[in-house]
Amino acid sequence: MVSGMTESTPTRPAGDATARILTAAEALFAKHGFDAVSMNTIAERASVSKANIFHHFSSKKALYLAVLRVACRDSTQYLQELFVETGTLPERLANFARKQIASMFEHGEVTRLILRELLKDGERQGRDLAEKVFGDNFAQLVEILRTGQARGELRADMDPAMIATLLIGAMVFFFESQEVLRHFPDVKFAHDPKRYSGLVVDILLRGILSDSAVKNLRRAGKNGASSSAQHKE
């Protein structure tokens, strides 16, 4: 998932108490959910005291948000690579989508943990996720797309936030529905996330209309504008 790093996320060196806490909490939250996991259980699994957890994290919710940020670290890395990689924007977007969807499946339990949070109701919950987990990296993806527009690589009349939303949404949908898609005879990409991500980027960049249909639409638009101007006269 595309996450942000609004609050600092602890690194995870071997033997570090904070790292053990995050690792234990990630596994437990991913398996049981937020409400079903106690701080005592996390402390026991991390081999630290409960007081030690509260020394590093002010509350269970703060620990949970930190776990979500760490769980999204692959997305953070892929976005940084997307920003600095050479090559055309279409090539870089295809690489980003391929790596992102592969990571989602490789870390399936953590992906489900993140998606579980997205499905929870409540304005406060949505604000916390936007400001403390996903916001910065979503903004970075939007800025990369906006830069592509300024360079003439993408259409300038498209909302870059919509492009980012469609790209992320398509990957989430595939992760959630792959087991159903496998049973649709017309779906030839259900077993191949790499192919799926390539198709998604291709459709986002090129659309589904043929060149002739695009020309007809433009011609119709020009004729409509001309007719409207004549009526005003």
Side-chain angles (χ1 to χ4, degrees):
M1 308 302 293
V2 177
S3 74
M5 304 293 287
T6 304
E7 295 182 357
S8 61
T9 299
T11 57
R12 303 175 72 167
D16 181 78
T18 305
R20 297 202 307 275
I21 293 168
L22 286 167
T23 299
E26 179 181 299
L28 291 167
F29 286 143
K31 185 174 182 180
H32 303 291
F34 177 81
D35 294 331
V37 176
S38 70
M39 296 293 266
N40 286 329
T41 303
I42 296 172
E44 181 179 353
R45 179 147 181 170
S47 299
V48 299
S49 67
K50 185 176 177 180
N52 190 278
I53 295 180
F54 284 112
H55 173 73
H56 295 285
F57 303 96
S58 61
S59 65
K60 181 181 174 183
K61 181 63 177 290
L63 172 58
Y64 194 45
L65 291 173
V67 165
L68 290 176
R69 290 193 295 273
V70 172
C72 292
R73 60 191 176 275
D74 284 351
S75 295
T76 302
Q77 176 184 336
Y78 300 150
L79 275 170
Q80 291 171 348
E81 291 172 357
L82 174 61
F83 185 76
V84 301
E85 280 178 348
T86 58
T88 66
L89 182 58
E91 292 171 341
R92 289 155 50 211
L93 281 175
N95 287 335
F96 166 75
R98 174 180 52 78
K99 290 183 288 189
Q100 178 64 46
I101 202 165
S103 177
M104 291 172 68
F105 280 98
E106 182 180 354
H107 307 288
E109 283 194 358
V110 174
T111 300
R112 292 183 185 92
L113 168 64
I114 297 168
L115 295 179
R116 184 187 300 134
E117 283 305 299
L118 294 176
L119 293 174
K120 283 188 176 180
D121 294 330
E123 180 181 350
R124 175 64 181 273
Q125 180 77 347
R127 183 184 302 112
D128 281 345
L129 291 175
E131 294 178 353
K132 301 176 182 179
V133 181
F134 303 111
D136 284 355
N137 278 9
F138 183 83
Q140 184 177 3
L141 177 57
V142 171
E143 184 58 30
I144 290 169
L145 295 169
R146 187 175 287 120
T147 300
Q149 291 176 314
R151 292 175 177 173
E153 295 181 282
L154 299 175
R155 281 175 49 187
D157 60 334
M158 299 295 293
D159 183 346
M162 174 58 76
I163 300 172
T165 300
L166 289 173
L167 179 59
I168 297 167
M171 290 187 283
V172 170
F173 174 79
F174 186 75
F175 177 85
E176 292 277 33
S177 64
Q178 186 190 35
E179 294 305 319
V180 176
L181 294 174
R182 291 178 190 272
H183 301 286
F184 293 162
D186 292 323
V187 176
K188 309 300 183 185
F189 49 77
H191 299 276
D192 192 348
K194 179 179 178 180
R195 184 185 175 206
Y196 173 83
S197 64
L199 291 170
V200 166
V201 172
D202 185 58
I203 290 171
L204 274 177
L205 294 175
R206 298 173 57 187
I208 63 173
L209 291 178
S210 67
D211 291 341
S212 60
V214 171
K215 290 178 181 178
N216 289 337
L217 281 176
R218 289 174 177 170
R219 189 180 301 115
K222 290 180 180 179
N223 291 339
S226 175
S227 176
S228 176
Q230 290 176 358
H231 283 304
K232 287 182 180 180
E233 292 176 359

